Structures are given as C-alpha cells and as structure tokens.
Amino acid sequence: MPIASLFRLARAGFVMAREGVFGVVDLPDLPPAQRLALRAIRLLERRSVRGKAADKRLSDALTRLGPSYVKLGQFLATRPDVVGREIATDLTALQDQIPSFGMEEAKRVIESHFGRPVEQLFASFGEPVAAASIAQVHPAEIEEADGTRRKMAVKVLRPGVAERFRRDLKSYYLMARLMERFHPPSRRLRPVAVVDTLARSVELEMDFRLEAAALSEMAENTRDDPGFRVPEVNWTRTAKAVLTMEWISGRKLSDVAGIEADGHDLPAIGALVIQSFLRHAVRDGFFHADMHQGNLFLDEDGNLVAVDFGITGRLGKAERRFLAEILFGFITRDYRRVAEVHFEAGYVPADQDVDVFAQAIRAIGEPIHGHDASEISMARLLTQLLEVTELFNMRTQTQLIMLQKTMVVVEGVARTLDPHLDMWRTAEPVVRTWIERNLGPAGRLQDAAGGLAALGKLAADLPILAERAGRLSGELETMAEKGLRFDAETAEAIGRAEARHTRSGRIALWVIAALLAIAVFT
C-alpha cells in the first residue's frame, strides 16, 4: 500500500473532520463500531462549523483540500447513483473558489507552448479576471490585419495542476480499492470504475484543444439558432494549456437585476435557456453539461452566450429518441407509451411487466396535471422517473444521469429569470419538432434511406466476397493436389462456411431486387 497515498487520504479525512463533514451522518443508521468511531472523529470538529448547513460544510472542505477535490466534488454531483441524491444535490452548487496564480507564471505557460513571448502573441495581456480549479482567464487584445484591436479571453492552465491531479488520483484509487475489498455492498457501484471515469474526464478537460473543438462543434450545430451562440475560437493562439477565444461583453445571468434594468424580457430569456438546452440535447445529441449562471452571459445584442465547455454530454440517437418520447408522453399523458419506450431502449429488463411499469409512471405523471404549470419541475419529474426505474431493475445510464443533473441546473437558471415559467409549454415546440422530423413520415423515409444505403454497401462488397470465396476454393484445391487432407470435422466446417458465403450473397441480391421493385412500383 503506497504510504504517500495513505498519508494524503489521512490528511483529507482530517480536513473533512475539522470542517464538520462527518457531523451530518445519522448515527442510528450505523453499526455500533462505526458509530463509536464517528463520535471520536467528531471531536476534531471546529466549533465554528456547527451552525453550517450540510452542503456548506462539504463544499468548504473540498475547497480547502484544493483543485482536484473541488473537481472530484463537481464530478460526483453528476453521479447520484454513487453518492446518493441528497449529497449530489448539495454538490451541484459547488463552484470553484480557488485563488488566482501570478502573471509571470501565466506568461511562462503561454511562452512554453508557443515558443514566443506573450508580447508577440498579444497586443495587450491583463491580470486574471476569473480563477477556477483547473485554469484562470485573462483579458487580452490582438491586432487585426487592418490595425484595429480585438479583445480576447485567454484561458491558461494552472501550473502544476496536472501533476497534482495525478498524485491525488492515486489516493482516490486507493480509497476505491479499499472500499471494494472491505465493503462488499459498495462493489455494485464499482468505485474503481468511477475513479477511472473521473480520471478520463479530467484528462480531457485539461487539454484545451478539446474544449476549443467542443466550442467549434457547438457553433456549427447552433449556427441558425435564434438568440444563442458561443465564443469564436482563435486557433492560432490555442494550444494544449492555452485557449484563446472571443471576449464576451455582457452580463452574467446571475445579474438578474442588471439584465432587467437593461430592458430585456426576463421570461423570454428564461424560455430561451430551456429551449436552447433541449435543442442541443434532443436535436444535436451534444450539450453543455455545466450550464450554471456563471457560464451563461447575455451579450449586448440580447443573445444567450455559453462559455466554459470543459464538461459536455453526448446522447446517441437512441437516447435522444428516449428523451423526446418520454417528455412528449408526459405532455400528452400517454403513460403506456412512456413505459414501452423504456423497454424498447433496453433500459428496463424484458422480464418486467410493462403494464405495472406504466402504472408506476402514471403515479409520477398524473400529479403534475393537477398543479399550476409554474409549480411543475421537469427536472424533478426526470429525477422521480430514474428513481422509479430503479425499482424495475433498470441499469444505471450514466449519460441520462448527466442529462438529468444538467436539467436541474438549467431549470433553476430559467426560474430565476421567470419564477412562473411553464416548463411544458416551453419545451413542447422543441420536442414536437424533433418527433415530427425523426419519428414521423420524414423520419421513416430517412431510416429507409439509411437501410438502402447499408444494402447498397453490401451489394458493392459482393464482388469482394465472391473473390475471397473463389480464392479459398482455389487454395483448397491446391492443397488437395498436394495430398493434404483435413479431418472430417474441419472439412465439414469449411463446407458450411462456403455454403454460408454463397447463401448470404444470394439473399442480399434478392433483398436488393425486392426493394428496387418496391421503389419502382409504389
């Protein structure tokens, strides 16, 4: 067992004890030995923390432990299946509150990646205006070809943060292995796999070229979307530890009073936040997974601008169909269809009763139709849905959990702008449009075209398959002429393979011919 990792774990436990994190655990729920140990640990608790709320204790402890623990907390906020829904909700509010590092250090990072002084890259380079666990942002200016200056935001990786994360990850792995070894019930949560996911997530987040690519992809996806955009990336001044992009002049969505004073329509902006997120998730399958108020601006033209794409989520076609159909099913009160979608997606095992499952979903959906629209939380509904599916042995779907947690944040942002926001009326146009395009006649034609394309590829491959079959037959004849023989079992297997190739080719040709005939005569 690595002594250094064990020491770091002990230090982390001491800081959490001092900040009162262990004081929020219910003693009656623990066995006698653990209950006694917890009482002893609580003796380390500082008096000043005893009046703090549970979420404040945990966030303060993680902040004191440093950047990698802040990132750990933010990551676990997306995994309520691991830490529990209450703790995950507490961690959702965790924001980076890390002191900035010096200008000279920032300049050294930039110069090491471009091989040139900062003064040659930028016409001006200012003090940091925002600092987080992984990086900080500096205002800068570049000189255009016509001599004018353009303001930019330069994101610089915190020096030594990669090594710090690698060191702390060893401690996380040690804790995960200890949990799996000495606490059998935790094995179903696969702690080591959870740390693997965290390690991969942080590795990707610390390469700013990938964040730049995410910005570029989102810009392409939303090019024609009304009222939404992302900053433009300056690729010539972007590297692994440096991201240069357009400076956004505007107000953060946290400044509700300022936005209202500017004369903007708050309810319209709240609806724009919800509809933009749903377009990204349902239409594109690619969404910003950290859309809190600090990452959303309203620019001078009234456009919603999203920044900080270090954390993103993806949904495949199947997940997008699942999301659209369950939301539409709740809107139209078609609970049987909502249940069927779960089974069709393979999320709920086939041995479960679809009618009983539909009954459970009805218990979630009906109450929302008895309340004012402003009282209905779509995020809460998705949370309840995931809770109910657990009763029917639904396996954890990480991508859906990230979506649900992002929806909680997005809905919260929208309701700060419009407390009476009708989530269902706001979401309905986006969901209906996707369903009409993808599950209606146009969508079916597109699926058919995809099927024909696949068959066309198979037809194009038939000469290659025939050539391979002919080559195999020739080789077998040559071996026979040389007096080489296979045993009966091998010879039979080769015969079956030859027959299968021939039969597959004939079937493919008949299917293609039939489809062409249908296309001609219908």
Side-chain angles (χ1 to χ4, degrees), residues 27 208 288 399 518:
L27 288 174
F208 293 162
H288 191 312
Q399 70 277 21
I518 291 171

Side-chain angles (χ1 to χ4, degrees), residues 208-350:
F208 293 162
R209 296 169 298 187
L210 299 178
E211 182 175 347
L215 282 163
S216 175
E217 182 177 351
M218 181 66 76
E220 289 182 5
N221 291 344
T222 61
R223 182 171 50 243
D224 300 322
D225 287 2
F228 179 89
R229 70 185 187 92
V230 296
E232 180 184 348
V233 175
N234 184 287
W235 287 97
T236 59
R237 294 172 177 84
T238 293
K240 184 175 182 179
V242 182
L243 170 59
T244 303
M245 56 191 158
E246 169 193 1
W247 180 271
I248 302 301
S249 297
R251 293 186 185 272
K252 288 186 178 182
L253 289 200
S254 55
D255 186 6
V256 177
I259 293 173
E260 188 173 23
D262 291 340
H264 294 291
D265 184 344
L266 295 185
I269 299 170
L272 177 61
V273 171
I274 293 295
Q275 291 183 344
S276 295
F277 169 71
L278 286 176
R279 284 192 193 99
H280 307 160
V282 178
R283 181 194 65 193
D284 306 326
F286 178 62
F287 59 93
H288 191 312
D290 196 20
M291 283 184 68
H292 60 74
Q293 292 167 311
N295 286 338
L296 294 172
F297 288 79
L298 199 67
D299 70 11
E300 296 169 337
D301 297 323
N303 294 309
L304 183 67
V305 186
V307 301
D308 194 357
F309 277 72
I311 304 176
T312 56
R314 290 191 182 273
L315 297 174
K317 184 72 176 288
E319 288 84 10
R320 283 183 273 162
R321 173 177 176 173
F322 172 81
L323 175 63
E325 288 220 55
I326 62 171
L327 290 179
F328 197 68
F330 277 112
I331 292 171
T332 58
R333 302 173 78 172
D334 188 351
Y335 305 118
R336 170 77 185 195
R337 181 58 191 152
V338 175
E340 289 172 347
V341 169
H342 279 79
F343 283 82
E344 290 172 6
Y347 293 158
V348 175

Side-chain angles (χ1 to χ4, degrees), residues 9 59-60 125 149 155 167 187 298 310 324 345 358 368 384 450 499:
L9 277 181
S59 62
D60 285 352
F125 187 80
R149 288 191 173 190
K155 187 174 180 178
R167 193 168 61 242
R187 291 173 189 165
L298 199 67
I368 71 174
Q384 291 178 336

Side-chain angles (χ1 to χ4, degrees), residues 131-168:
S133 57
I134 285 181
Q136 65 185 30
V137 176
H138 296 256
E141 289 180 320
I142 60 173
E143 191 168 320
E144 303 282 19
D146 59 1
T148 60
R149 288 191 173 190
R150 185 181 180 193
K151 193 171 183 180
M152 309 297 287
V154 184
K155 187 174 180 178
V156 184
L157 187 70
R158 187 174 289 273
V161 71
E163 179 57 34
R164 174 69 182 270
F165 267 98
R166 278 192 290 269
R167 193 168 61 242
D168 285 336

